[in-house]
Short mmCIF file of all heavy atoms in Angstrom, two decimals:
data_model
loop_
_atom_site.label_atom_id
_atom_site.label_comp_id
_atom_site.label_asym_id
_atom_site.label_seq_id
_atom_site.Cartn_x
_atom_site.Cartn_y
_atom_site.Cartn_z
N HIS A 779 15.77 40.38 -34.88
CA HIS A 779 15.36 40.05 -36.26
C HIS A 779 14.64 38.70 -36.33
O HIS A 779 14.81 37.93 -37.29
CB HIS A 779 16.55 40.04 -37.22
CG HIS A 779 17.41 41.28 -37.16
ND1 HIS A 779 16.90 42.54 -37.42
CD2 HIS A 779 18.72 41.44 -36.85
CE1 HIS A 779 17.87 43.43 -37.28
NE2 HIS A 779 18.98 42.79 -36.93
N ALA A 780 13.84 38.40 -35.30
CA ALA A 780 13.16 37.10 -35.23
C ALA A 780 12.25 36.87 -36.44
O ALA A 780 12.19 35.76 -36.97
CB ALA A 780 12.35 37.00 -33.94
N GLN A 781 11.53 37.91 -36.89
CA GLN A 781 10.62 37.75 -38.02
C GLN A 781 11.38 37.40 -39.30
O GLN A 781 10.93 36.57 -40.09
CB GLN A 781 9.81 39.03 -38.23
CG GLN A 781 8.67 38.89 -39.22
CD GLN A 781 7.65 37.84 -38.81
OE1 GLN A 781 7.20 37.81 -37.67
NE2 GLN A 781 7.29 36.94 -39.73
N LYS A 782 12.54 38.00 -39.47
CA LYS A 782 13.35 37.72 -40.66
C LYS A 782 13.85 36.28 -40.63
O LYS A 782 13.83 35.57 -41.65
CB LYS A 782 14.54 38.68 -40.72
CG LYS A 782 15.40 38.50 -41.97
CD LYS A 782 16.55 39.51 -41.99
CE LYS A 782 17.43 39.29 -43.23
NZ LYS A 782 18.57 40.25 -43.25
N ILE A 783 14.28 35.83 -39.45
CA ILE A 783 14.74 34.44 -39.30
C ILE A 783 13.59 33.48 -39.59
O ILE A 783 13.77 32.47 -40.29
CB ILE A 783 15.29 34.23 -37.88
CG1 ILE A 783 16.53 35.09 -37.65
CG2 ILE A 783 15.62 32.75 -37.64
CD1 ILE A 783 17.01 35.10 -36.20
N LEU A 784 12.41 33.79 -39.04
CA LEU A 784 11.24 32.96 -39.24
C LEU A 784 10.88 32.87 -40.72
O LEU A 784 10.63 31.78 -41.25
CB LEU A 784 10.06 33.52 -38.45
CG LEU A 784 8.70 32.84 -38.65
CD1 LEU A 784 8.75 31.38 -38.24
CD2 LEU A 784 7.62 33.58 -37.86
N ASN A 785 10.86 34.00 -41.42
CA ASN A 785 10.51 34.02 -42.84
C ASN A 785 11.51 33.21 -43.67
O ASN A 785 11.12 32.49 -44.60
CB ASN A 785 10.45 35.46 -43.36
CG ASN A 785 9.29 36.24 -42.77
OD1 ASN A 785 8.33 35.66 -42.27
ND2 ASN A 785 9.38 37.56 -42.79
N THR A 786 12.79 33.35 -43.33
CA THR A 786 13.83 32.59 -44.06
C THR A 786 13.65 31.10 -43.86
O THR A 786 13.76 30.31 -44.82
CB THR A 786 15.23 33.02 -43.58
OG1 THR A 786 15.40 34.42 -43.79
CG2 THR A 786 16.32 32.26 -44.33
N TYR A 787 13.36 30.69 -42.62
CA TYR A 787 13.22 29.25 -42.34
C TYR A 787 11.97 28.70 -43.00
O TYR A 787 11.97 27.59 -43.54
CB TYR A 787 13.18 29.01 -40.83
CG TYR A 787 13.62 27.60 -40.47
CD1 TYR A 787 14.94 27.33 -40.18
CD2 TYR A 787 12.70 26.54 -40.46
CE1 TYR A 787 15.36 26.03 -39.87
CE2 TYR A 787 13.10 25.26 -40.15
CZ TYR A 787 14.44 25.00 -39.86
OH TYR A 787 14.84 23.72 -39.57
N ARG A 788 10.88 29.47 -42.98
CA ARG A 788 9.65 28.99 -43.61
C ARG A 788 9.82 28.87 -45.11
O ARG A 788 9.23 27.99 -45.75
CB ARG A 788 8.50 29.93 -43.27
CG ARG A 788 7.94 29.67 -41.86
CD ARG A 788 6.78 30.55 -41.53
NE ARG A 788 6.17 30.16 -40.25
CZ ARG A 788 5.28 30.88 -39.61
NH1 ARG A 788 4.88 32.06 -40.10
NH2 ARG A 788 4.78 30.45 -38.47
N ALA A 789 10.64 29.74 -45.70
CA ALA A 789 10.92 29.64 -47.13
C ALA A 789 11.66 28.34 -47.44
O ALA A 789 11.41 27.68 -48.46
CB ALA A 789 11.75 30.84 -47.58
N LEU A 790 12.57 27.94 -46.53
CA LEU A 790 13.28 26.67 -46.69
C LEU A 790 12.30 25.51 -46.62
O LEU A 790 12.31 24.60 -47.48
CB LEU A 790 14.34 26.53 -45.60
CG LEU A 790 15.04 25.17 -45.50
CD1 LEU A 790 15.87 24.90 -46.75
CD2 LEU A 790 15.90 25.10 -44.25
N MET A 791 11.42 25.53 -45.61
CA MET A 791 10.46 24.44 -45.44
C MET A 791 9.49 24.36 -46.62
O MET A 791 9.03 23.27 -46.98
CB MET A 791 9.67 24.65 -44.14
CG MET A 791 10.46 24.36 -42.87
SD MET A 791 10.92 22.61 -42.70
CE MET A 791 12.67 22.67 -43.09
#
Side-chain angles (χ1 to χ4, degrees):
H779 309 301
Q781 190 60 48
K782 183 179 179 181
I783 296 171
L784 175 61
N785 292 340
T786 302
Y787 204 92
R788 281 182 173 169
L790 172 66
M791 286 294 106

